[in-house]
């Protein structure tokens, strides 16, 4: 057993054979997977943004894979092989010190929010631990024609001048906006759910029945649930105070739609989102995402009721049935 | 009790009697240079680690400058510990261990200095590149091409030196350290090329992830583990002044490692779209890794049992023993972590960071440090500069590191539990803030310990008390300094 050839050659051979088995066999299986429906290669600017993402180590904190587990549902549907067809090197990531970004283009489509957040994350998410990337921005005296400055809230803006994103920042935000999970077909969704049930542990299965199956609470809404849902889905822009950010995201406090007893428009906005909203004479360029796909009727009703009963608002509460009706109209 | 004949040339024989090389077996000056450079990187890289740790709580600390931002420094820390601190030290120790076990000088000894400078300049270039944003995007393989090429050349050169030296050896038997070293250099020359020249540029999609899982775990399993074990197996009998407990056991460990490690990489991607059966094999293999780990721990403690007096008198021995303890903890942690239910709880949390520290630092960096403590005063032919500083080094390392590993493990499980219970993600991060402060403080304690220790070794080389040498000093004479 003292032969160099045996040790060096033998161990390498063993290793190589086994590694090939673990690499080539799954590789063959995976190479047969076509790009998922709607999965597109990146544009030039988006690829540049992907390089900025890599260079600055974004993937050390942000994953781009959604596992078929309950706790990952907030980030999107479970990732499928076809989602990654055009990605080299892969950015699935190994740690989440920040949220998963697989579907961030859908979850937070507002580039205004992304710029404010990139410049100083705490301007929009007060508890954020993400570093500030303000060196990706230029502070200049006056924004040149055609360039919109970043509407930073007071306390975060520099004392003099305006903040405009550099090319690097623009590419990065374009890349983030491209991160959208294309919807899967009904059949695939069903098989995905099945796979999820197979992979999930018994605890997942027992905790699976979502609030959607429960009857709407009689005599009022679930205030704690409403607050939690608002925090998870709305407060990034509208802020915990409901006051939004002046010039960037409209205030819900004292807002006409929120306080109108006819809640139709309020429900419509939460379900379908909003573009170029004109609120209180100000036009907001940043779009609000639709929530019809990610929230159940009961959840939408809980959020709306929370908004209608907080920060001094006094709109008439809604029930899930109204949301169901409004959702039906959209179809 | 199994006491198989010892083939490590310790008690009595410093090297095979056939050694007759006129210039000596090993180059004292070269090895000391490697030790000094390794010591420098082992202070540098953990200091960068402390900076990135502090940034978790103080976001503006050294912020607002691109090249000092968290995402640029993080790979400097990881690559700095793996390729800077650990690898520089073990390559240096290779130049000591291989000739002494083979009975012939290293093949092409003049390559040593080119390798020393080429390696360290490449590392500097690598860290500067990462800070400037040149990152290949493969975790633990981030060096850009102009750094990877010289690193790969160095690895191939050392591999050739090691293999040819073993081929030309005069000592018929091959001690287990040579097994591990020969394998580590061949495997790593291949794996490094794979991770740096192929992965960042070809193979799209989930395939890339599957391969990345293999690469990143092979850095651990093909390089850090075998080369670290080679070092520990060599210095263990020397430091304990006792023959190795069992040679058979060490060979069982070697082949078990070669058989099970190729499978485990995919356990980085449990619940991903990588084929389910591949994940399952990875989990099974991860559990099987308990076998090679157990052989090592049994062998190490078996060697020490009955000889604890020497343990008290040698810092090399102390570091080997504590490293073996962390090895046991870290590897059991790693194996169970691969199980689906544990993975669900801990993946993406700081539990994983705790595990990588427990293994890479707690075990292998600590074993490399043990080698440094044994070799440096002997080659410098001086007494250890200060026993007190060595004591501080040891205890600050043990105290700081134990707190850090425990803290990260607990906080990871806590965060996993919170997320499973439906806690909002941001809220779960806020709950981690106190733990991050503890982690930073523990890391700083470790850094201070390391700085004191490596200062001690540097001062030993420069100003340690000269040991009286016999009248006619043989070239390869090694004195017996106290406490090392």
């Amino acid at each position: 057993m003292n032969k160099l050839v045996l040790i060096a050659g033998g161990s390498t051979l063993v290793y190589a054979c086994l590694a090939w088995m673990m690499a080539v066999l799954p590789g063959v299986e995976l190479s047969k997977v076509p790009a998922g429906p709607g999965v597109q290669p990146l544009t030039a600017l988006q690829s540049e943004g992907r390089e900025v993402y890599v260079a600055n180590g974004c993937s050390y904190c942000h994953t781009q894979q959604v596992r078929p587990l309950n706790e990952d549902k907030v980030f999107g549907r479970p990732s499928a092989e076809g989602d990654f067809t055009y990605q080299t090197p892969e950015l699935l990531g190994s740690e989440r010190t920040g949220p998963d970004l697989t579907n961030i283009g859908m979850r937070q489509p507002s580039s205004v929010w992304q710029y404010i957040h990139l410049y100083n994350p705490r301007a929009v998410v007060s508890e954020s631990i993400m570093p500030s990337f303000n060196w990706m921005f230029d502070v200049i005296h006056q924004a040149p024609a055609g360039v919109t400055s970043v509407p930073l809230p007071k306390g975060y803006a520099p004392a003099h001048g305006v903040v405009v994103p550099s090319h690097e920042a623009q590419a990065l935000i374009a890349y983030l906006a491209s991160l959208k999970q294309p919807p899967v077909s009904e059949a695939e969704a069903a098989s995905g759910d099945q796979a999820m049930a197979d992979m999930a542990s018994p605890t997942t299965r027992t905790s699976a029945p979502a609030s959607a199956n429960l009857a709407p609470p009689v005599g009022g809404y679930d205030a704690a649930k409403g607050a939690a849902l608002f925090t998870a889905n709305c407060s990034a822009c509208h802020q915990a105070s409901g006051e939004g950010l002046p010039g960037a995201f409209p205030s819900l406090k004292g807002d006409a739609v929120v306080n109108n007893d006819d809640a139709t428009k309020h429900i419509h906005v939460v379900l379908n989102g909003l573009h170029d909203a004109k609120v209180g004479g100000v036009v907001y360029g940043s779009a609000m995402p639709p929530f019809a796909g990610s929230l159940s009727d009961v959840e939408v009703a809980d959020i709306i009721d929370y908004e209608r009963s907080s920060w001094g608002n006094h709109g008439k509460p809604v029930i899930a049935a109204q949301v169901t009706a409004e959702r039906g109209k959209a179809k | 009790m199994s006491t198989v004949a010892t083939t490590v040339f310790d008690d009595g024989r410093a090297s095979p009697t056939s050694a007759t090389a006129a210039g000596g077996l090993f180059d004292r000056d070269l090895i000391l240079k490697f030790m000094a450079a390794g010591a420098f990187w082992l202070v540098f890289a953990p200091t960068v680690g402390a900076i990135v740790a502090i940034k978790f709580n103080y976001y503006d600390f050294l912020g607002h400058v691109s090249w000092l931002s968290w995402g640029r420094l993080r790979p400097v820390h990881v690559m700095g510990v793996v390729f800077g601190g650990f690898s520089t030290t073990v390559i240096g120790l290779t130049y000591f261990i291989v000739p002494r076990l083979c009975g012939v000088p290293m093949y092409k000894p003049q390559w040593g200095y080119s390798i020393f400078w080429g390696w360290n300049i490449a590392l500097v270039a690598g860290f500067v590149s990462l800070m400037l944003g040149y990152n290949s995007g493969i975790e633990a393989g981030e060096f850009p091409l102009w750094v990877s090429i010289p690193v790969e050349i160095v690895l191939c050169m050392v591999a050739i030196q090691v293999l040819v030296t073993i081929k030309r050896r005069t000592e018929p038997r091959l001690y287990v350290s040579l097994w591990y070293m020969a394998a580590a250099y061949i495997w790593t020359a291949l794996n490094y090329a794979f991770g740096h020249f192929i992965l960042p540029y070809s193979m799209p999609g989930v395939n890339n992830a599957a391969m990345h899982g293999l690469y990143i775990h092979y850095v651990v399993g093909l390089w850090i583990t075998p080369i670290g074990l080679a070092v520990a197996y060599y210095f263990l009998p020397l430091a304990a002044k006792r023959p190795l407990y069992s040679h058979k056991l060490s060979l069982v460990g070697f082949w078990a490692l070669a058989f099970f490690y190729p499978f485990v990489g995919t356990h980085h991607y449990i619940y991903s779209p990588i084929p389910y059966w591949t994940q399952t094999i990875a989990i099974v293999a991860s559990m099987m890794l308990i076998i090679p780990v157990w052989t090592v721990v049994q062998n190490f403690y078996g060697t020490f049992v009955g000889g604890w007096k020497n343990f008290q008198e040698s810092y090399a021995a102390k570091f080997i023993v504590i490293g073996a303890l962390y090895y046991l903890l870290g590897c059991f942690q790693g194996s169970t972590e691969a199980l689906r239910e544990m993975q669900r709880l801990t993946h993406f949390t700081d539990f994983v960071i705790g595990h990588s520290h427990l293994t890479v630092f707690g075990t292998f960096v600590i074993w490399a440090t043990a080698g440094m403590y044994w070799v440096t005063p002997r080659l410098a032919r001086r007494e250890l500069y200060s026993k007190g500083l060595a004591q501080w080094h040891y205890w600050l390392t043990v105290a700081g590191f134990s707190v850090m590993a425990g803290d990260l493990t607990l906080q990871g499980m806590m965060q996993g539990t919170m997320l499973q219970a439906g806690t909002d993600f941001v809220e779960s991060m806020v709950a981690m803030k106190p733990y991050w402060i503890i982690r930073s403080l523990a890391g700083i304690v470790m850094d201070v310990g390391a700085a004191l220790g490596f200062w001690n070794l540097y001062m030993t080389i420069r100003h340690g008390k000269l040991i009286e040498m016999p009248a006619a000093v043989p070239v390869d004479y090694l004195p017996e300094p106290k406490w090392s």
Side-chain angles (χ1 to χ4, degrees):
Chain A
M1 292 291 271
N2 284 340
K3 293 279 186 290
L4 175 65
V5 179
L6 171 77
I7 295 164
S11 61
T12 305
L13 198 67
V14 166
Y15 218 113
C17 292
L18 299 179
W20 271 90
M21 181 189 148
M22 279 305 269
V24 173
L25 293 187
V28 168
E29 197 172 314
L30 288 171
S31 60
K32 290 182 196 142
V33 177
V39 176
Q40 300 287 338
L42 297 179
T43 65
L45 184 67
Q46 291 163 352
S47 313
E48 228 179 290
R50 194 175 198 264
E51 280 160 29
V52 176
Y53 186 93
V54 169
N56 292 289
C58 303
S59 62
Y60 300 123
C61 288
H62 296 285
T63 55
Q64 287 188 29
Q65 55 165 323
V66 181
R67 301 171 299 171
L69 296 172
N70 263 348
E71 53 267 39
D72 276 22
K73 271 186 180 165
V74 290
F75 300 125
R77 64 159 168 82
S79 301
E81 298 96 316
D83 295 345
F84 300 96
T85 306
Y86 300 108
Q87 300 196 15
T88 310
E90 54 89 11
L91 296 173
L92 271 70
S94 59
E95 214 198 342
R96 276 187 198 147
T97 319
D100 183 272
L101 298 182
T102 307
N103 201 25
I104 190 65
M106 208 75 97
R107 293 197 296 116
Q108 183 46 277
S110 160
S111 61
V112 173
W113 187 93
Q114 294 289 7
Y115 281 127
I116 298 176
H117 183 258
L118 188 66
Y119 183 86
N120 189 333
R122 274 142 313 272
V124 279
V125 184
S126 60
E127 311 92 336
S128 173
I129 63 156
M130 182 171 129
S132 150
F133 286 84
N134 57 7
W135 40 268
M136 282 193 198
F137 294 80
D138 300 314
V139 179
I140 53 175
H141 184 61
Q142 201 178 0
V147 176
T148 323
S149 65
V150 181
L152 289 162
K154 277 205 184 74
Y156 295 96
H160 302 286
V162 293
V163 172
V164 292
S166 67
H167 179 72
E168 222 182 354
Q170 290 175 15
L172 180 60
I173 300 306
Y175 171 62
L176 292 182
S178 80
L179 296 176
K180 290 178 183 169
Q181 285 188 320
V184 285
S185 69
E186 302 260 315
E188 278 175 284
S191 75
D193 283 350
Q194 188 50 47
M196 184 166 165
D198 290 345
M199 282 175 103
S201 65
T203 44
T204 323
R205 261 174 256 135
T206 51
S207 64
S211 52
N213 301 342
L214 303 172
V218 185
Y221 77 109
D222 186 342
K225 192 125 198 303
L229 285 165
F230 181 84
T231 304
N233 295 287
C234 318
S235 68
C237 293
H238 295 294
Q239 301 295 301
S241 64
E243 291 172 14
L245 291 178
F249 308 111
S251 173
L252 302 177
K253 186 179 173 180
D255 178 73
V257 172
V258 176
N259 287 291
N260 190 339
D261 279 348
D262 178 9
T264 315
K265 180 154 191 222
H266 194 171
I267 298 171
H268 184 83
V269 169
V270 176
L271 283 177
N272 303 312
L274 206 55
H275 291 273
D276 299 319
K278 195 174 175 193
V279 184
V282 182
V283 177
Y284 291 88
S286 50
M288 170 164 161
F291 289 93
S294 55
L295 296 175
S296 72
D297 294 343
V298 176
E299 288 168 331
V300 170
D302 280 344
I303 289 177
I304 289 177
D305 286 348
Y306 175 76
E307 290 170 352
R308 289 178 158 249
S309 58
S310 304
W311 320 302
N313 288 344
H314 45 75
K316 199 173 149 200
V318 302
I319 56 166
Q322 286 172 270
V323 182
T324 315
E326 187 62 35
R327 202 192 279 265
K329 268 192 257 171
K331 281 183 179 171
Chain B
M1 285 276 105
S2 159
T3 42
V4 180
T6 166
T7 55
V8 70
F9 319 110
D10 37 333
D11 35 31
R13 282 197 303 161
S15 60
T17 41
S18 57
T20 53
L25 280 177
F26 47 84
D27 186 337
R28 285 167 51 207
D29 176 55
L30 176 71
I31 297 166
L32 285 175
K33 270 199 167 60
F34 266 108
M35 293 304 109
F40 170 76
W41 294 122
L42 278 179
V43 176
F44 168 83
T47 304
V48 175
I51 292 170
V52 296
I54 290 168
K55 282 169 178 273
F56 275 78
N57 294 98
Y58 301 93
Y59 333 106
D60 291 332
F61 174 65
L62 299 181
H64 313 303
V65 191
S66 60
W67 50 275
L68 286 176
S69 63
W70 191 92
R72 302 258 181 109
L73 287 183
R74 201 263 200 180
V76 174
H77 170 62
V78 176
M79 298 297 269
V81 171
V82 172
F83 290 100
F86 175 75
S87 300
T88 309
T89 308
V90 294
I91 291 174
L93 293 172
T94 302
Y95 285 101
F96 183 72
I97 295 172
V98 170
R100 292 234 317 162
L101 286 177
C102 290
V104 289
M106 204 72 164
Y107 173 67
K108 299 273 184 201
Q110 68 276 19
W111 286 5
Y113 288 89
S114 323
I115 286 170
F116 174 81
W117 288 112
W119 178 260
N120 283 292
I121 290 168
L123 287 176
V124 173
F127 301 143
V128 171
S129 301
L130 289 172
M131 287 165 84
L132 293 177
Y134 297 98
N135 181 325
S136 81
I138 293 295
E139 192 176 0
E142 284 105 340
F143 284 153
L145 269 184
W146 58 87
V147 178
S148 307
I149 291 171
V151 167
E152 176 68 24
I153 292 173
V154 166
L155 286 172
C156 290
M157 284 170 79
V158 185
I160 292 168
Q161 284 185 304
V162 168
L163 293 176
V164 177
T165 311
I166 295 177
K167 184 82 197 148
R168 292 176 166 184
R169 72 188 188 278
T170 54
E171 173 69 25
R173 281 176 298 183
L174 275 177
Y175 183 62
V176 64
S177 289
L178 289 177
W179 290 54
Y180 277 116
M181 275 202 171
Y185 279 104
I186 300 176
W187 292 345
T188 302
L190 296 171
N191 188 49
Y192 189 91
F194 174 63
H196 283 81
F197 303 141
I198 298 176
L199 275 186
Y201 310 103
S202 64
M203 270 197 265
V206 183
N207 249 346
N208 198 281
M211 304 295 166
H212 186 188
L214 297 195
Y215 165 76
I216 195 169
H217 221 91
Y218 289 178
V219 172
V220 184
L222 296 184
W223 174 242
I224 299 177
T225 299
I227 198 86
L229 284 172
V231 167
Y233 264 119
Y234 182 77
F235 290 107
L236 168 77
L238 296 179
K241 298 202 169 85
R242 295 168 66 80
L244 189 65
Y245 173 74
S246 164
H247 278 270
K248 280 209 185 91
L249 208 50
S250 66
L251 301 186
V252 171
F254 177 85
W255 287 109
L257 193 77
F259 270 107
F260 297 128
Y261 239 115
F263 297 108
V264 304
T266 313
H267 75 195
H268 288 247
Y269 293 102
I270 308 281
Y271 291 118
S272 76
I274 292 174
Y276 194 76
W277 62 266
T278 330
Q279 300 177 24
T280 306
I281 293 178
I283 295 168
V284 174
S286 302
M287 291 308 285
M288 298 302 278
L289 275 183
I290 288 177
I291 296 171
V293 172
W294 193 262
T295 62
V296 169
V297 175
Q298 169 80 12
N299 225 347
F300 280 27
Y301 282 97
T303 304
F304 270 105
V305 166
W308 294 103
K309 188 179 163 294
N310 297 326
F311 163 76
Q312 288 167 9
E313 290 176 356
S314 161
Y315 281 93
K318 286 186 190 204
F319 276 104
I320 290 175
V321 168
I322 196 74
L325 179 65
Y326 289 136
Y327 190 49
L328 184 67
L329 291 174
C331 291
F332 268 96
Q333 184 195 35
S335 293
T336 48
E337 190 184 342
L339 297 171
R340 282 202 174 82
E341 203 53 28
M342 269 301 275
Q343 184 81 177
R344 184 182 170 197
L345 179 69
T346 60
H347 198 35
F348 300 146
T349 73
D350 280 324
F351 185 94
V352 181
I353 307 295
H355 171 63
S356 41
H357 280 83
L358 204 45
T359 46
V360 175
F361 181 89
T363 308
F364 296 108
V365 167
I366 281 185
W367 281 346
T369 307
M372 239 182 213
Y373 263 99
W374 198 88
V375 157
T376 309
R378 282 177 176 80
L379 293 190
R381 296 179 174 173
R382 292 170 184 270
E383 291 288 356
L384 198 62
Y385 176 69
S386 156
K387 190 205 169 206
L389 285 175
Q391 188 80 340
W392 276 106
H393 181 189
Y394 180 76
W395 284 109
L396 289 180
T397 302
V398 172
F401 185 69
S402 301
V403 170
M404 178 193 269
D407 177 65
L408 287 169
T409 304
L410 286 177
Q411 82 170 82
M413 296 209 274
M414 188 177 144
Q415 198 202 348
T417 313
M418 287 176 84
L419 292 173
Q420 279 189 16
T423 310
D424 177 55
F425 182 81
V426 175
E427 217 174 294
S428 78
M429 281 288 111
V430 173
M432 294 301 112
K433 287 183 182 180
Y435 296 90
W436 285 327
I437 294 197
I438 297 174
R439 185 254 302 264
S440 301
L441 292 174
I444 291 168
V445 168
M446 285 160 64
D447 287 354
V448 171
L452 294 176
F454 298 125
W455 171 250
N456 194 19
L457 289 181
Y458 176 75
M459 290 303 279
T460 302
I461 299 174
R462 299 299 297 271
H463 301 294
K465 185 167 161 274
L466 276 170
I467 298 173
E468 245 178 82
M469 304 296 279
V473 189
V475 192
D476 293 328
Y477 178 80
L478 292 179
E480 269 302 304
K482 271 184 263 174
W483 309 118
S484 70

